[in-house]
Amino acid sequence: MLITADMKMADLIHLDFQLLAVIQRIGIPLGFREKTIDEVCKENNVNTDFFLQISNSFHDKDFFPKERFFEFKAEWLVNFLRRTHQCILEHKIPEIELKIEGLVEDLKATTRNYELIKNFFTEYIRELKIHMELEDNKVFPYVVELDKSLEANKKTPKFEESFSDYNIQKYLEDHNDIEEKVFDLKNILIKYLPPPMDNCKYNSLLFEIFRLEKDLSDHAKLEDKVLIPKVKLMEREIKNL
Ligand SMILES: [Fe+2]
Ligand SMILES: [Fe+2]
Protein backbone atom coordinates (compact mmCIF):
# COMPACT_ATOMS: atom_id res chain seq x y z
CA MET A 1 0.00 0.00 0.00
CA LEU A 2 1.41 3.33 -1.07
CA ILE A 3 1.51 6.01 1.63
CA THR A 4 0.08 9.30 0.35
CA ALA A 5 -0.04 12.91 1.59
CA ASP A 6 -3.80 12.92 2.27
CA MET A 7 -3.59 9.97 4.65
CA LYS A 8 -4.04 10.76 8.34
CA MET A 9 -0.75 10.70 10.23
CA ALA A 10 -2.27 8.62 13.05
CA ASP A 11 -3.47 6.02 10.52
CA LEU A 12 0.07 5.74 9.20
CA ILE A 13 1.23 4.53 12.61
CA HIS A 14 -1.63 2.02 12.80
CA LEU A 15 -0.64 0.80 9.36
CA ASP A 16 3.00 0.31 10.25
CA PHE A 17 4.14 1.13 13.79
CA GLN A 18 7.80 0.87 12.73
CA LEU A 19 7.33 4.19 10.93
CA LEU A 20 7.27 5.84 14.36
CA ALA A 21 11.06 5.77 14.06
CA VAL A 22 10.89 7.65 10.74
CA ILE A 23 8.53 10.27 12.21
CA GLN A 24 10.85 10.84 15.18
CA ARG A 25 14.03 10.94 13.09
CA ILE A 26 12.59 13.36 10.62
CA GLY A 27 11.87 15.67 13.53
CA ILE A 28 8.07 15.44 13.95
CA PRO A 29 6.63 15.27 17.48
CA LEU A 30 3.55 13.13 18.29
CA GLY A 31 0.02 14.50 18.95
CA PHE A 32 -1.43 14.49 15.42
CA ARG A 33 -5.17 14.53 16.18
CA GLU A 34 -7.00 14.14 12.85
CA LYS A 35 -4.35 15.87 10.75
CA THR A 36 -3.13 14.49 7.45
CA ILE A 37 0.50 13.70 6.68
CA ASP A 38 0.69 16.83 4.54
CA GLU A 39 -0.70 19.07 7.30
CA VAL A 40 1.61 17.65 9.96
CA CYS A 41 4.68 17.95 7.70
CA LYS A 42 3.90 21.57 6.81
CA GLU A 43 3.37 22.48 10.47
CA ASN A 44 6.80 21.07 11.30
CA ASN A 45 8.65 22.49 8.29
CA VAL A 46 9.28 19.06 6.85
CA ASN A 47 9.08 18.58 3.09
CA THR A 48 6.03 16.32 2.59
CA ASP A 49 7.48 14.58 -0.43
CA PHE A 50 10.71 13.78 1.42
CA PHE A 51 8.66 12.33 4.28
CA LEU A 52 6.60 10.23 1.87
CA GLN A 53 9.59 8.81 0.00
CA ILE A 54 11.37 7.86 3.21
CA SER A 55 8.21 6.36 4.76
CA ASN A 56 7.33 4.39 1.65
CA SER A 57 10.82 3.01 1.31
CA PHE A 58 10.89 1.90 4.96
CA HIS A 59 7.39 0.45 4.71
CA ASP A 60 7.90 -1.46 1.47
CA LYS A 61 11.36 -2.86 0.80
CA ASP A 62 10.74 -2.91 -2.96
CA PHE A 63 9.95 0.81 -3.03
CA PHE A 64 13.16 2.73 -3.46
CA PRO A 65 13.03 5.67 -5.87
CA LYS A 66 16.73 6.51 -5.82
CA GLU A 67 16.40 9.33 -8.35
CA ARG A 68 13.66 11.02 -6.33
CA PHE A 69 15.92 11.03 -3.30
CA PHE A 70 18.57 12.84 -5.32
CA GLU A 71 16.22 15.80 -5.69
CA PHE A 72 16.06 16.46 -1.95
CA LYS A 73 18.45 18.66 -0.06
CA ALA A 74 21.49 16.72 1.14
CA GLU A 75 21.09 18.33 4.53
CA TRP A 76 17.66 16.71 5.09
CA LEU A 77 19.16 13.33 4.51
CA VAL A 78 22.16 14.09 6.72
CA ASN A 79 19.88 15.22 9.57
CA PHE A 80 17.86 12.04 9.24
CA LEU A 81 20.99 9.88 9.30
CA ARG A 82 22.40 11.78 12.29
CA ARG A 83 19.21 11.28 14.30
CA THR A 84 19.32 7.58 13.46
CA HIS A 85 22.86 7.35 14.88
CA GLN A 86 21.73 9.13 18.01
CA CYS A 87 18.72 6.85 18.48
CA ILE A 88 20.79 3.71 17.98
CA LEU A 89 23.68 4.74 20.24
CA GLU A 90 21.65 6.37 23.00
CA HIS A 91 18.61 4.09 23.14
CA LYS A 92 18.79 0.85 21.19
CA ILE A 93 22.28 -0.21 22.23
CA PRO A 94 21.78 0.49 25.98
CA GLU A 95 18.48 -1.48 25.83
CA ILE A 96 20.25 -4.49 24.37
CA GLU A 97 23.10 -4.15 26.87
CA LEU A 98 20.59 -4.21 29.72
CA LYS A 99 18.93 -7.31 28.32
CA ILE A 100 22.29 -9.05 28.01
CA GLU A 101 23.07 -8.16 31.62
CA GLY A 102 19.69 -9.63 32.55
CA LEU A 103 20.91 -13.00 31.31
CA VAL A 104 23.70 -13.26 33.86
CA GLU A 105 21.51 -15.27 36.27
CA ASP A 106 20.24 -17.64 33.60
CA LEU A 107 23.68 -18.34 32.27
CA LYS A 108 25.29 -18.52 35.70
CA ALA A 109 26.16 -22.17 35.34
CA THR A 110 28.02 -21.40 32.14
CA THR A 111 29.81 -18.15 32.87
CA ARG A 112 31.80 -18.59 29.71
CA ASN A 113 28.67 -18.20 27.58
CA TYR A 114 27.67 -15.01 29.32
CA GLU A 115 31.16 -13.59 28.97
CA LEU A 116 31.19 -14.58 25.31
CA ILE A 117 28.03 -12.62 24.48
CA LYS A 118 28.96 -9.70 26.66
CA ASN A 119 32.46 -9.33 25.22
CA PHE A 120 31.22 -9.77 21.70
CA PHE A 121 28.67 -7.00 22.14
CA THR A 122 31.09 -4.67 23.95
CA GLU A 123 33.50 -4.99 21.04
CA TYR A 124 30.65 -4.40 18.62
CA ILE A 125 29.59 -1.18 20.38
CA ARG A 126 33.17 0.06 20.17
CA GLU A 127 33.24 -0.49 16.41
CA LEU A 128 29.80 0.98 15.91
CA LYS A 129 30.79 4.14 17.77
CA ILE A 130 33.94 4.60 15.68
CA HIS A 131 31.91 4.12 12.50
CA MET A 132 29.17 6.59 13.47
CA GLU A 133 31.53 9.18 14.94
CA LEU A 134 33.52 9.29 11.72
CA GLU A 135 30.31 9.97 9.81
CA ASP A 136 29.03 12.54 12.32
CA ASN A 137 32.30 14.40 12.64
CA LYS A 138 33.77 14.21 9.17
CA VAL A 139 31.50 12.87 6.43
CA PHE A 140 28.27 14.67 7.29
CA PRO A 141 29.89 18.08 7.89
CA TYR A 142 31.64 17.62 4.54
CA VAL A 143 28.34 16.91 2.76
CA VAL A 144 26.65 19.91 4.38
CA GLU A 145 29.51 22.24 3.41
CA LEU A 146 29.55 20.84 -0.12
CA ASP A 147 25.83 21.54 -0.37
CA LYS A 148 26.26 25.09 0.97
CA SER A 149 29.07 25.74 -1.52
CA LEU A 150 26.96 24.60 -4.45
CA GLU A 151 24.05 26.73 -3.28
CA ALA A 152 26.28 29.81 -2.98
CA ASN A 153 27.96 29.02 -6.28
CA LYS A 154 31.36 29.28 -4.65
CA LYS A 155 33.33 27.23 -2.16
CA THR A 156 32.60 28.39 1.40
CA PRO A 157 35.59 29.39 3.58
CA LYS A 158 34.91 26.35 5.78
CA PHE A 159 34.95 24.08 2.75
CA GLU A 160 38.29 25.51 1.61
CA GLU A 161 39.72 25.25 5.10
CA SER A 162 38.54 21.79 6.16
CA PHE A 163 37.63 19.80 3.11
CA SER A 164 39.63 20.98 0.12
CA ASP A 165 41.48 17.66 -0.13
CA TYR A 166 38.64 15.42 1.07
CA ASN A 167 36.30 13.37 -1.09
CA ILE A 168 33.63 10.76 -0.60
CA GLN A 169 35.88 8.05 -2.03
CA LYS A 170 37.97 8.27 1.16
CA TYR A 171 34.89 7.48 3.22
CA LEU A 172 33.86 4.67 0.91
CA GLU A 173 37.16 2.92 1.46
CA ASP A 174 36.41 2.55 5.19
CA HIS A 175 32.64 2.27 5.02
CA ASN A 176 32.40 -1.24 6.42
CA ASP A 177 29.34 -3.32 6.88
CA ILE A 178 28.11 -2.75 10.43
CA GLU A 179 25.21 -5.20 10.25
CA GLU A 180 27.35 -8.25 9.64
CA LYS A 181 28.43 -8.63 13.24
CA VAL A 182 24.85 -8.32 14.46
CA PHE A 183 24.08 -11.33 12.32
CA ASP A 184 26.92 -13.23 14.04
CA LEU A 185 25.57 -12.29 17.46
CA LYS A 186 22.14 -13.62 16.51
CA ASN A 187 23.72 -16.85 15.41
CA ILE A 188 25.60 -17.32 18.67
CA LEU A 189 22.33 -16.90 20.53
CA ILE A 190 20.22 -19.06 18.22
CA LYS A 191 22.61 -21.85 17.41
CA TYR A 192 25.16 -22.30 20.12
CA LEU A 193 23.88 -21.34 23.54
CA PRO A 194 22.21 -23.93 25.77
CA PRO A 195 18.41 -23.59 26.05
CA PRO A 196 17.73 -20.79 28.54
CA MET A 197 15.65 -21.17 31.67
CA ASP A 198 13.68 -18.05 30.84
CA ASN A 199 12.77 -18.27 27.21
CA CYS A 200 10.81 -15.03 27.29
CA LYS A 201 13.78 -12.95 28.34
CA TYR A 202 15.95 -14.63 25.78
CA ASN A 203 13.46 -14.07 22.96
CA SER A 204 13.04 -10.46 23.89
CA LEU A 205 16.80 -9.97 23.55
CA LEU A 206 16.71 -11.69 20.16
CA PHE A 207 13.82 -9.51 18.96
CA GLU A 208 15.78 -6.39 19.91
CA ILE A 209 18.80 -7.64 17.99
CA PHE A 210 16.68 -8.43 14.92
CA ARG A 211 15.24 -4.91 15.10
CA LEU A 212 18.69 -3.37 15.41
CA GLU A 213 19.86 -5.33 12.41
CA LYS A 214 16.92 -4.14 10.30
CA ASP A 215 17.45 -0.56 11.45
CA LEU A 216 21.14 -0.68 10.56
CA SER A 217 20.50 -2.20 7.16
CA ASP A 218 17.85 0.45 6.26
CA HIS A 219 20.31 3.06 7.43
CA ALA A 220 23.20 1.67 5.39
CA LYS A 221 20.94 1.48 2.33
CA LEU A 222 20.29 5.23 2.58
CA GLU A 223 23.99 5.92 2.96
CA ASP A 224 25.18 3.61 0.20
CA LYS A 225 22.40 4.00 -2.34
CA VAL A 226 21.42 7.64 -1.84
CA LEU A 227 23.96 9.69 0.09
CA ILE A 228 27.12 8.45 -1.63
CA PRO A 229 25.85 8.60 -5.26
CA LYS A 230 24.33 12.01 -4.53
CA VAL A 231 27.61 13.31 -3.12
CA LYS A 232 29.47 11.98 -6.17
CA LEU A 233 27.18 14.06 -8.38
CA MET A 234 27.73 17.09 -6.16
CA GLU A 235 31.51 16.60 -6.33
CA ARG A 236 31.33 16.63 -10.10
CA GLU A 237 29.47 19.95 -9.93
CA ILE A 238 31.85 21.58 -7.47
CA LYS A 239 34.77 20.93 -9.78
CA ASN A 240 33.22 23.45 -12.16
CA LEU A 241 33.08 26.24 -9.60
FE1 LIG B 1 25.61 5.98 9.50
FE1 LIG C 1 27.65 4.03 7.79
Side-chain angles (χ1 to χ4, degrees):
M1 178 181 166
L2 191 71
I3 299 160
T4 51
D6 55 354
M7 198 171 159
K8 290 200 175 144
M9 190 62 111
D11 291 342
L12 177 71
I13 299 170
H14 291 300
L15 172 77
D16 182 351
F17 70 91
Q18 306 215 53
L19 293 177
L20 271 170
V22 170
I23 294 172
Q24 184 268 326
R25 290 167 194 178
I26 228 160
I28 297 178
L30 295 179
F32 312 125
R33 298 170 192 265
E34 297 301 317
K35 290 172 198 158
T36 64
I37 291 179
D38 191 41
E39 286 166 337
V40 174
C41 284
K42 284 191 174 124
E43 260 175 31
N44 291 283
N45 295 320
V46 169
N47 181 287
T48 306
D49 206 26
F50 180 64
F51 180 86
L52 289 174
Q53 305 305 327
I54 296 249
S55 300
N56 275 307
S57 66
F58 276 58
H59 176 59
D60 171 3
K61 68 176 175 37
D62 296 324
F63 180 97
F64 200 71
K66 221 161 66 172
E67 281 69 30
R68 294 296 308 278
F69 278 121
F70 288 168
E71 295 162 14
F72 302 126
K73 261 182 84 60
E75 204 179 343
W76 300 345
L77 192 61
V78 163
N79 288 341
F80 185 83
L81 295 170
R82 263 190 201 284
R83 286 203 185 101
T84 308
H85 287 177
Q86 207 184 357
C87 179
I88 289 176
L89 291 178
E90 290 175 15
H91 300 282
K92 301 216 158 193
I93 295 287
E95 272 166 28
I96 295 178
E97 258 183 316
L98 263 182
K99 287 195 161 67
I100 291 179
E101 277 159 24
L103 287 181
V104 67
E105 280 299 307
D106 305 73
L107 296 174
K108 212 163 37 187
T110 52
T111 322
R112 264 191 57 232
N113 285 331
Y114 174 73
E115 294 293 319
L116 175 78
I117 307 174
K118 184 128 180 72
N119 293 342
F120 191 95
F121 198 62
T122 306
E123 173 56 20
Y124 181 67
I125 300 172
R126 199 187 62 82
E127 284 177 27
L128 194 64
K129 279 189 178 152
I130 293 174
H131 182 118
M132 291 182 169
E133 275 166 14
L134 171 78
E135 291 172 351
D136 285 339
N137 300 333
K138 185 83 191 180
V139 186
F140 296 162
Y142 165 67
V143 177
V144 169
E145 226 42 54
L146 184 63
D147 196 26
K148 279 187 188 157
S149 301
L150 287 174
E151 233 164 51
N153 244 325
K154 67 172 186 345
K155 290 178 186 161
T156 60
K158 193 173 171 207
F159 187 89
E160 298 276 18
E161 191 191 307
S162 314
F163 304 110
S164 56
D165 59 351
Y166 189 76
N167 61 59
I168 204 71
Q169 197 57 37
K170 293 195 173 150
Y171 157 67
L172 262 179
E173 282 156 18
D174 318 310
H175 196 223
N176 53 353
D177 192 343
I178 42 172
E179 308 98 82
E180 228 166 74
K181 270 213 165 149
V182 182
F183 184 76
D184 295 340
L185 180 62
K186 278 190 330 194
N187 262 338
I188 299 176
L189 290 163
I190 299 169
K191 291 188 185 169
Y192 302 111
L193 286 191
M197 313 239 286
D198 184 344
N199 219 348
C200 215
K201 238 199 261 177
Y202 208 73
N203 284 352
S204 141
L205 169 63
L206 264 172
F207 281 137
E208 268 330 306
I209 298 171
F210 271 96
R211 275 201 205 110
L212 174 70
E213 186 184 36
K214 162 90 167 66
D215 212 356
L216 288 170
S217 86
D218 286 339
H219 179 76
K221 193 169 159 192
L222 276 180
E223 287 178 347
D224 294 335
K225 303 242 181 318
V226 182
L227 186 74
I228 292 168
K230 186 175 171 70
V231 171
K232 282 186 176 166
L233 290 175
M234 290 160 83
E235 284 176 344
R236 235 182 275 165
E237 267 181 67
I238 203 145
K239 276 194 191 132
N240 302 325
L241 289 188

